[in-house]
Protein backbone atom coordinates (compact mmCIF):
# COMPACT_ATOMS: atom_id res chain seq x y z
CA UNK A 1 0.00 0.00 0.00
CA UNK A 2 1.60 3.28 -1.11
CA UNK A 3 1.61 6.55 0.78
CA UNK A 4 -1.13 8.10 -1.37
CA UNK A 5 -3.49 5.26 -0.55
CA UNK A 6 -2.74 5.60 3.17
CA UNK A 7 -3.38 9.35 3.04
CA UNK A 8 -6.77 8.79 1.37
CA UNK A 9 -7.73 6.15 3.94
CA UNK A 10 -6.75 8.37 6.85
CA UNK A 11 -8.50 11.39 5.32
CA UNK A 12 -11.75 9.50 4.77
CA UNK A 13 -11.62 7.88 8.21
CA UNK A 14 -10.96 11.23 9.90
CA UNK A 15 -13.91 12.75 8.02
CA UNK A 16 -16.16 9.89 9.19
CA UNK A 17 -15.02 10.36 12.77
CA UNK A 18 -15.66 14.12 12.54
CA UNK A 19 -19.20 13.49 11.26
CA UNK A 20 -19.89 11.00 14.05
CA UNK A 21 -18.52 13.33 16.72
CA UNK A 22 -20.35 16.45 15.53
CA UNK A 23 -23.78 14.87 15.18
CA UNK A 24 -23.45 12.61 18.22
CA UNK A 25 -22.43 15.58 20.37
CA UNK A 26 -25.35 17.63 19.04
CA UNK A 27 -27.91 14.89 19.69
CA UNK A 28 -26.45 14.00 23.08
CA UNK A 29 -26.75 17.65 24.10
CA UNK A 30 -30.36 17.75 22.93
CA UNK A 31 -31.05 14.69 25.07
CA UNK A 32 -28.77 15.37 28.01
CA UNK A 33 -29.16 19.12 28.53
CA UNK A 34 -32.85 19.03 29.55
CA UNK A 35 -32.17 15.93 31.62
CA UNK A 36 -29.34 17.69 33.44
CA UNK A 37 -31.57 20.68 34.16
CA UNK A 38 -34.24 18.37 35.56
CA UNK A 39 -31.68 16.61 37.76
CA UNK A 40 -30.46 19.95 39.11
CA UNK A 41 -33.85 21.52 39.74
CA UNK A 42 -35.54 18.42 41.15
CA UNK A 43 -32.76 17.53 43.61
CA UNK A 44 -34.50 17.14 47.00
CA UNK A 45 -31.55 18.74 48.82
CA UNK A 46 -30.46 21.64 46.60
CA UNK A 47 -32.97 21.92 43.78
CA UNK A 48 -34.98 25.08 43.19
CA UNK A 49 -38.05 22.90 42.67
CA UNK A 50 -37.47 19.67 44.64
CA UNK A 51 -39.17 16.55 43.37
CA UNK A 52 -37.67 13.57 45.21
CA UNK A 53 -39.52 10.88 43.26
CA UNK A 54 -38.63 12.33 39.86
CA UNK A 55 -35.02 12.85 40.92
CA UNK A 56 -34.65 9.25 42.09
CA UNK A 57 -36.09 7.90 38.83
CA UNK A 58 -33.90 10.10 36.64
CA UNK A 59 -30.71 9.53 38.60
CA UNK A 60 -31.13 5.75 38.44
CA UNK A 61 -31.72 5.86 34.69
CA UNK A 62 -28.65 8.04 34.19
CA UNK A 63 -26.48 5.85 36.42
CA UNK A 64 -27.61 2.70 34.62
CA UNK A 65 -26.84 4.11 31.18
CA UNK A 66 -23.48 5.51 32.27
CA UNK A 67 -22.39 2.14 33.66
CA UNK A 68 -23.39 0.26 30.50
CA UNK A 69 -20.29 -0.76 28.44
CA UNK A 70 -20.43 1.11 25.15
CA UNK A 71 -19.60 -1.86 22.94
CA UNK A 72 -22.49 -3.84 24.43
CA UNK A 73 -24.80 -0.83 24.25
CA UNK A 74 -23.97 -0.40 20.58
CA UNK A 75 -24.82 -4.04 19.84
CA UNK A 76 -28.06 -3.81 21.83
CA UNK A 77 -29.06 -0.70 19.86
CA UNK A 78 -28.44 -2.28 16.44
CA UNK A 79 -32.20 -2.72 15.87
CA UNK A 80 -32.89 0.91 16.81
CA UNK A 81 -30.14 2.12 14.46
CA UNK A 82 -31.61 0.00 11.68
CA UNK A 83 -35.05 1.52 12.25
CA UNK A 84 -33.81 5.12 12.42
CA UNK A 85 -31.18 5.19 9.66
CA UNK A 86 -31.81 1.98 7.73
CA UNK A 87 -28.61 0.20 8.71
CA UNK A 88 -26.83 -1.08 11.81
CA UNK A 89 -23.25 -0.54 10.62
CA UNK A 90 -21.30 2.42 9.34
CA UNK A 91 -21.02 6.08 10.27
CA UNK A 92 -24.72 6.97 10.28
CA UNK A 93 -25.70 3.96 12.35
CA UNK A 94 -23.00 4.67 14.94
CA UNK A 95 -24.41 8.13 15.65
CA UNK A 96 -27.44 6.57 17.35
CA UNK A 97 -25.64 4.61 20.11
CA UNK A 98 -23.03 7.34 20.45
CA UNK A 99 -25.73 9.91 21.18
CA UNK A 100 -27.50 7.68 23.68
CA UNK A 101 -24.24 6.71 25.40
CA UNK A 102 -23.10 10.33 25.74
CA UNK A 103 -26.47 11.75 26.85
CA UNK A 104 -26.25 10.61 30.51
CA UNK A 105 -22.66 11.86 30.65
CA UNK A 106 -23.91 15.25 29.42
CA UNK A 107 -26.74 15.20 31.95
CA UNK A 108 -24.36 14.73 34.88
CA UNK A 109 -22.03 17.44 33.59
CA UNK A 110 -24.91 19.90 33.20
CA UNK A 111 -26.25 19.03 36.64
CA UNK A 112 -22.84 19.50 38.24
CA UNK A 113 -22.18 22.81 36.46
CA UNK A 114 -25.56 24.28 37.43
CA UNK A 115 -25.15 23.22 41.06
CA UNK A 116 -21.91 25.20 41.23
CA UNK A 117 -23.81 28.49 40.84
CA UNK A 118 -23.81 30.58 44.01
CA UNK A 119 -27.00 29.88 45.93
CA UNK A 120 -27.17 33.54 46.94
CA UNK A 121 -27.66 34.56 43.32
CA UNK A 122 -30.52 32.10 42.96
CA UNK A 123 -32.13 33.26 46.19
CA UNK A 124 -31.85 36.88 45.07
CA UNK A 125 -33.57 36.06 41.78
CA UNK A 126 -36.29 34.21 43.64
CA UNK A 127 -36.78 37.16 46.01
CA UNK A 128 -37.31 39.44 43.01
CA UNK A 129 -40.17 37.25 41.84
CA UNK A 130 -38.42 35.26 39.12
CA UNK A 131 -40.13 32.09 37.97
CA UNK A 132 -38.39 28.72 37.84
CA UNK A 133 -37.86 29.01 34.08
CA UNK A 134 -36.44 32.52 34.45
CA UNK A 135 -34.03 31.34 37.12
CA UNK A 136 -32.89 28.49 34.89
CA UNK A 137 -32.35 30.48 31.70
CA UNK A 138 -31.44 33.90 33.09
CA UNK A 139 -29.47 32.93 36.19
CA UNK A 140 -28.26 29.34 36.32
CA UNK A 141 -27.18 28.84 32.70
CA UNK A 142 -25.49 32.26 32.24
CA UNK A 143 -23.68 31.95 35.58
CA UNK A 144 -22.55 28.40 34.83
CA UNK A 145 -21.56 29.07 31.21
CA UNK A 146 -17.76 28.61 31.61
CA UNK A 147 -18.32 25.29 33.39
CA UNK A 148 -20.87 24.28 30.77
CA UNK A 149 -18.34 24.94 28.00
CA UNK A 150 -15.77 22.83 29.84
CA UNK A 151 -18.40 20.11 30.14
CA UNK A 152 -19.22 20.18 26.43
CA UNK A 153 -15.50 19.95 25.70
CA UNK A 154 -15.24 16.83 27.86
CA UNK A 155 -18.29 15.44 26.09
CA UNK A 156 -16.72 15.87 22.66
CA UNK A 157 -13.53 14.18 23.83
CA UNK A 158 -15.59 11.38 25.36
CA UNK A 159 -17.48 10.91 22.09
CA UNK A 160 -14.20 10.74 20.16
CA UNK A 161 -13.13 7.89 22.43
CA UNK A 162 -16.45 6.12 21.96
CA UNK A 163 -16.25 6.56 18.19
CA UNK A 164 -12.85 4.86 18.18
CA UNK A 165 -14.30 1.89 20.08
CA UNK A 166 -17.17 1.71 17.61
CA UNK A 167 -14.65 0.69 14.96
CA UNK A 168 -14.48 -2.73 16.60
CA UNK A 169 -18.03 -3.50 15.44
CA UNK A 170 -18.06 -1.83 12.04
CA UNK A 171 -18.68 1.71 13.16
CA UNK A 172 -16.34 3.30 10.64
CA UNK A 173 -13.94 6.17 11.31
CA UNK A 174 -10.41 6.12 12.66
CA UNK A 175 -11.12 3.24 15.05
CA UNK A 176 -12.26 1.08 12.16
CA UNK A 177 -9.18 2.10 10.17
CA UNK A 178 -6.85 1.17 13.03
CA UNK A 179 -8.50 -2.24 13.49
CA UNK A 180 -9.14 -3.31 9.89
CA UNK A 181 -6.05 -1.94 8.20
CA UNK A 182 -3.69 -1.67 11.16
CA UNK A 183 -4.36 -4.58 13.51
CA UNK A 184 -5.92 -7.20 11.23
CA UNK A 185 -3.51 -6.60 8.33
CA UNK A 186 -0.46 -6.16 10.59
CA UNK A 187 0.19 -2.61 9.37
CA UNK A 188 1.44 -1.01 12.55
CA UNK A 189 2.19 2.27 10.79
CA UNK A 190 -1.49 2.71 9.86
CA UNK A 191 -2.54 1.99 13.42
CA UNK A 192 0.00 4.51 14.69
CA UNK A 193 -1.22 7.18 12.24
CA UNK A 194 -4.84 6.62 13.28
CA UNK A 195 -3.93 6.96 16.95
CA UNK A 196 -1.92 10.12 16.27
CA UNK A 197 -4.81 11.70 14.37
CA UNK A 198 -7.18 10.89 17.25
CA UNK A 199 -4.74 12.43 19.74
CA UNK A 200 -4.46 15.55 17.60
CA UNK A 201 -8.25 15.87 17.41
CA UNK A 202 -8.53 15.53 21.19
CA UNK A 203 -5.81 18.10 21.78
CA UNK A 204 -7.36 20.61 19.39
CA UNK A 205 -10.79 20.22 20.96
CA UNK A 206 -9.33 20.63 24.45
CA UNK A 207 -7.40 23.75 23.47
CA UNK A 208 -10.43 25.29 21.78
CA UNK A 209 -12.74 24.49 24.70
CA UNK A 210 -10.30 25.82 27.30
CA UNK A 211 -9.72 29.04 25.36
CA UNK A 212 -13.45 29.63 24.90
CA UNK A 213 -14.20 28.90 28.55
CA UNK A 214 -11.50 31.32 29.72
CA UNK A 215 -12.74 34.01 27.32
CA UNK A 216 -16.30 33.69 28.62
CA UNK A 217 -15.14 33.73 32.25
CA UNK A 218 -13.03 36.84 31.61
CA UNK A 219 -15.99 38.78 30.19
CA UNK A 220 -18.23 38.19 33.21
Amino acid sequence: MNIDKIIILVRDAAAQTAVMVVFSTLFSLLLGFPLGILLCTSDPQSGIRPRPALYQILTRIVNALRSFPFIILMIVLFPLSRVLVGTSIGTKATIVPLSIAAAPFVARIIESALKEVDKGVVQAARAMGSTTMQIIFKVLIPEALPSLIDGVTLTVINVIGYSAMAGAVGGGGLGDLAIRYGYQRFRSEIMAIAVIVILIMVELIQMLGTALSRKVAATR
Side-chain angles (χ1 to χ4, degrees):
M1 186 181 298
N2 57 40
I3 187 66
D4 291 336
K5 178 65 173 178
I6 293 176
I7 291 174
I8 293 173
L9 286 173
V10 173
R11 180 200 64 192
D12 292 345
Q16 291 173 354
T17 294
V19 169
M20 285 190 286
V21 170
V22 169
F23 284 99
S24 298
T25 300
L26 176 61
F27 292 136
S28 66
L29 287 173
L30 291 175
L31 294 171
F33 206 97
L35 185 56
I37 292 175
L38 280 175
L39 284 168
C40 175
T41 57
S42 65
D43 191 319
Q45 296 183 352
S46 60
I48 59 176
R49 195 173 181 182
R51 294 181 180 178
L54 176 61
Y55 181 80
Q56 290 300 325
I57 292 172
L58 292 178
T59 197
R60 279 171 171 73
I61 293 174
V62 168
N63 289 342
L65 288 174
R66 286 188 64 188
S67 62
F68 217 91
F70 175 68
I71 293 295
I72 298 176
L73 179 64
M74 187 172 178
I75 295 172
V76 169
L77 292 176
F78 274 168
L80 179 61
S81 298
R82 191 176 296 111
V83 169
L84 294 178
V85 299
T87 180
S88 59
I89 59 173
T91 302
K92 290 192 300 182
T94 304
I95 292 173
V96 176
L98 276 175
S99 302
I100 294 175
F105 182 79
V106 171
R108 284 302 187 193
I109 286 178
I110 301 303
E111 178 192 12
S112 177
L114 296 180
K115 284 183 176 179
E116 291 177 1
V117 176
D118 188 352
K119 295 297 183 293
V121 178
V122 177
Q123 292 172 359
R126 181 70 80 186
M128 290 187 292
S130 299
T131 64
T132 299
M133 296 301 290
Q134 288 174 329
I135 292 174
I136 292 171
F137 291 101
K138 295 184 178 181
V139 178
L140 290 177
I141 292 178
E143 288 293 322
L145 194 54
S147 295
L148 292 174
I149 293 173
D150 288 335
V152 172
T153 301
L154 288 175
T155 299
V156 176
I157 293 173
N158 198 43
V159 170
I160 292 174
Y162 281 160
S163 71
M165 287 189 287
V169 285
L174 291 166
D176 181 59
L177 176 68
I179 293 171
R180 280 201 300 134
Y181 288 89
Y183 176 73
Q184 294 179 351
R185 301 187 185 186
F186 304 102
R187 298 295 299 270
S188 57
E189 70 278 12
I190 295 180
M191 183 180 293
I193 293 172
V195 171
I196 290 171
V197 174
I198 291 173
L199 291 176
I200 291 174
M201 292 176 69
V202 169
E203 186 64 26
L204 289 175
I205 292 298
Q206 184 64 66
M207 290 173 59
L208 179 62
T210 300
L212 184 59
S213 177
R214 289 177 178 174
K215 184 177 180 179
V216 171
T219 57
R220 295 172 58 192

